[in-house]
């Protein structure tokens, strides 16, 4: 296992007075072991203990590297997984369970009296993952470089009459050409009034003159995600659309300017939201300002008015204000940032200038 990351998780377990823990989230197990596997209905669990008695539970059908740095406990289909777990856990102590551990394994473990009591302990891993180490930061940069290159190539491929689905397919093709491993999420492409619909799924809507073109895309590289949104216009842009675009850009850049260790997430959100509200569009900014990102596109923690936590160096999250006018238009501008010692590094270099495509 990655010893530094393991020590971070064990440190949070100690802080929360959790002597032992079961981790079943595949991305959390990957974070600690470098081994990523999605087990479907079979049990896949990493047991951590304050005593160092760590073990990983694996089905014989899994293809597993020889050295994971942790003792392997194998089981085959038909074996009682809960009994195997209960043979390892300390029945006289509290047991932390992550939020993804299926009830079909947890309830039998409880019947075996696998611990004195149980608690949800995901935050011990979530807190550790929230601050990216140098290796993770470089992987985030690499994924964002591919995303930037994709977005940079898109304007010349956009033409009047094409559909949202066609443009989404072009994004996927570009990712393959640029060396991405996959997507963080399905490309979100929205033309005209569709851009005002939250998380609109691409359909056969055809692009026409005067439409806004909202493009929210993300790829993966070496198991780490990227995410970026830009909004363009076709052939013309109205004064109303220009006003909205400039407001969203101001909100995006103002929020990024206040990021530094010690600032509260809610205050970053407020910085962007106040700009949009002052112009009369408060009801049209319908979502939080951002979300944390890393191995998963949406990780624990967000940039919202409800989050009073202070940001720390190494955290990575999105800044994505938007204004959405139903039946008319929608604009969102999104970057990813990594918090530095005295500010932030903006991972996306793609221009935020208002672009009207010919």
């Amino acid at each position: 296992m990655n010893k530094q990351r393991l020590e971070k998780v064990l440190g949070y377990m100690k802080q929360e007075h959790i002597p032992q823990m079961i981790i079943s989230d595949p991305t959390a197990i990957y974070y600690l072991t470098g081994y990523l596997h999605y087990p479907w209905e079979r049990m896949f669990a990493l047991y951590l203990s304050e005593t160092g008695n760590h073990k990983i539970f694996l089905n014989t059908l899994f293809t597993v590297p020889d050295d994971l740095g942790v003792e392997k406990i194998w089981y085959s289909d038909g074996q009682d997984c809960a009994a195997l777990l209960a043979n390892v856990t300390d029945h006289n102590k509290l047991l932390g369970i992550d939020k993804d551990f299926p009830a079909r394994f947890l309830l039998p473990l409880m019947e075996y009296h696998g611990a004195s009591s149980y608690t949800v302990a995901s935050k011990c891993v979530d807190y550790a993952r929230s601050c990216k180490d140098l290796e993770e930061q470089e992987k985030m940069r690499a994924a964002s470089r591919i995303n930037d290159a994709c977005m940079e190539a898109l304007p010349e491929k956009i033409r009047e009459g094409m559909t949202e689905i066609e443009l989404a397919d072009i994004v996927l093709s570009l990712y393959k050409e640029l060396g991405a491993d996959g997507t963080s999420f399905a490309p979100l492409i929205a033309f005209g009034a569709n851009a005002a619909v939250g998380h609109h799924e691409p359909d056969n809507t055809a692009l026409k003159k005067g439409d806004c073109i909202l493009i929210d895309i993300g790829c993966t590289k070496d198991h780490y995600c990227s995410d970026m949104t830009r909004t363009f216009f076709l052939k013309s842009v109205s004064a109303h659309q220009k006003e909205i675009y400039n407001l969203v850009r101001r909100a995006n850049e103002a929020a990024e300017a206040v990021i530094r260790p010690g600032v509260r997430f809610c205050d970053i959100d407020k910085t962007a939201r106040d700009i949009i509200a002052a112009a009369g569009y408060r009801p049209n900014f319908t979502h939080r300002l951002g979300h944390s990102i890393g191995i998963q596109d949406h990780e624990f923690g967000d940039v919202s008015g409800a989050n009073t936590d202070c940001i720390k160096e190494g955290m990575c999250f999105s800044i994505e204000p938007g204004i959405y006018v139903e039946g008319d238009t929608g604009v969102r501008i999104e970057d990813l940032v990594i918090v530095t010692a005295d500010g932030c590094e903006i991972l996306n270099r793609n221009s935020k200038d208002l672009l009207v495509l010919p």
Side-chain angles (χ1 to χ4, degrees), residues 2 5 30-31 34 132-146 181 219-226 294-295 316 336 338 347:
N2 186 304
R5 297 177 187 176
Y30 168 77
Y31 171 75
K132 274 52 181 175
D133 58 33
L134 295 180
E135 178 186 345
E136 291 180 289
Q137 290 180 33
E138 187 49 46
K139 288 182 177 181
M140 294 298 300
R141 294 186 188 99
S144 285
R145 284 194 293 268
I146 294 174
D181 296 332
C219 68
T220 58
K221 184 65 177 178
D222 294 330
H223 300 299
Y224 280 76
C225 297
S226 60
I295 302 170
C316 186
L336 296 186
I338 295 176
L347 297 186

Side-chain angles (χ1 to χ4, degrees), residues 188-226:
L188 194 164
I189 309 294
F191 297 159
N194 287 347
V197 178
H199 283 190
H200 168 74
E201 294 185 8
D203 59 25
N204 287 314
T205 297
L207 182 62
K208 61 184 185 300
K209 179 181 177 180
D211 275 349
C212 63
I213 306 162
L214 192 152
I215 302 175
D216 187 347
I217 56 174
C219 68
T220 58
K221 184 65 177 178
D222 294 330
H223 300 299
Y224 280 76
C225 297
S226 60

Side-chain angles (χ1 to χ4, degrees), residues 27-48:
T27 60
I29 294 175
Y30 168 77
Y31 171 75
L32 290 168
T33 68
Y35 169 57
L36 182 62
H37 180 79
Y38 293 97
W40 303 104
E41 76 278 9
R42 295 179 172 88
M43 190 182 77
F44 180 38
L46 176 63
Y47 172 76
L48 300 182

Side-chain angles (χ1 to χ4, degrees), residues 114-316:
S116 61
S117 57
Y118 302 83
T119 187
V120 177
S122 293
K123 58 187 175 183
C124 297
V125 184
D126 291 338
Y127 288 159
R129 287 173 61 178
S130 66
C131 293
K132 274 52 181 175
D133 58 33
L134 295 180
E135 178 186 345
E136 291 180 289
Q137 290 180 33
E138 187 49 46
K139 288 182 177 181
M140 294 298 300
R141 294 186 188 99
S144 285
R145 284 194 293 268
I146 294 174
N147 217 26
D148 272 356
C150 180
M151 189 71 80
E152 191 72 27
L154 285 176
E156 66 180 25
K157 298 180 181 296
I158 295 173
R159 65 185 187 282
E160 188 173 3
M162 75 184 312
T163 67
E164 294 170 344
I165 290 175
E166 287 175 329
L167 185 53
D169 287 341
I170 289 172
V171 170
L172 298 177
S173 178
L174 281 170
Y175 279 153
K176 290 181 180 179
E177 292 177 18
L178 293 166
D181 296 332
T183 59
S184 307
F185 53 92
L188 194 164
I189 309 294
F191 297 159
N194 287 347
V197 178
H199 283 190
H200 168 74
E201 294 185 8
D203 59 25
N204 287 314
T205 297
L207 182 62
K208 61 184 185 300
K209 179 181 177 180
D211 275 349
C212 63
I213 306 162
L214 192 152
I215 302 175
D216 187 347
I217 56 174
C219 68
T220 58
K221 184 65 177 178
D222 294 330
H223 300 299
Y224 280 76
C225 297
S226 60
D227 191 356
M228 171 175 52
T229 308
R230 293 293 185 264
T231 306
F232 308 129
F233 298 89
L234 183 68
K235 297 185 183 295
S236 66
V237 58
S238 69
H240 173 60
Q241 290 171 324
K242 187 178 293 187
E243 175 198 18
I244 289 174
Y245 187 91
N246 289 334
L247 273 171
V248 172
R249 179 175 179 177
R250 277 179 54 208
N252 167 275
E253 294 177 342
E256 291 172 351
V258 302
I259 294 171
R260 61 184 52 82
V263 173
R264 298 187 303 174
F265 283 105
C266 59
D267 293 330
I268 303 171
D269 181 279
K270 185 176 186 299
T271 298
R273 203 167 299 275
D274 283 354
I275 290 171
I276 290 172
Y281 289 99
R282 180 185 292 276
N284 304 99
F285 182 9
T286 54
H287 54 77
R288 62 192 176 185
L289 181 62
H291 58 85
S292 297
I293 185 171
I295 302 170
Q296 294 168 290
D297 181 52
H298 284 221
E299 294 193 340
F300 170 82
D302 63 14
V303 189
S304 71
N307 189 351
T308 58
D309 289 346
C310 292
I311 63 175
K312 299 177 181 178
E313 185 174 357
M315 286 183 168
C316 186

Side-chain angles (χ1 to χ4, degrees), residues 45-65:
L46 176 63
Y47 172 76
L48 300 182
S49 169
E50 63 182 357
T51 66
N53 184 34
H54 314 312
K55 301 183 189 301
I56 190 166
F57 292 81
L58 303 159
N59 188 278
T60 53
L61 294 176
F62 299 171
T63 302
V64 184

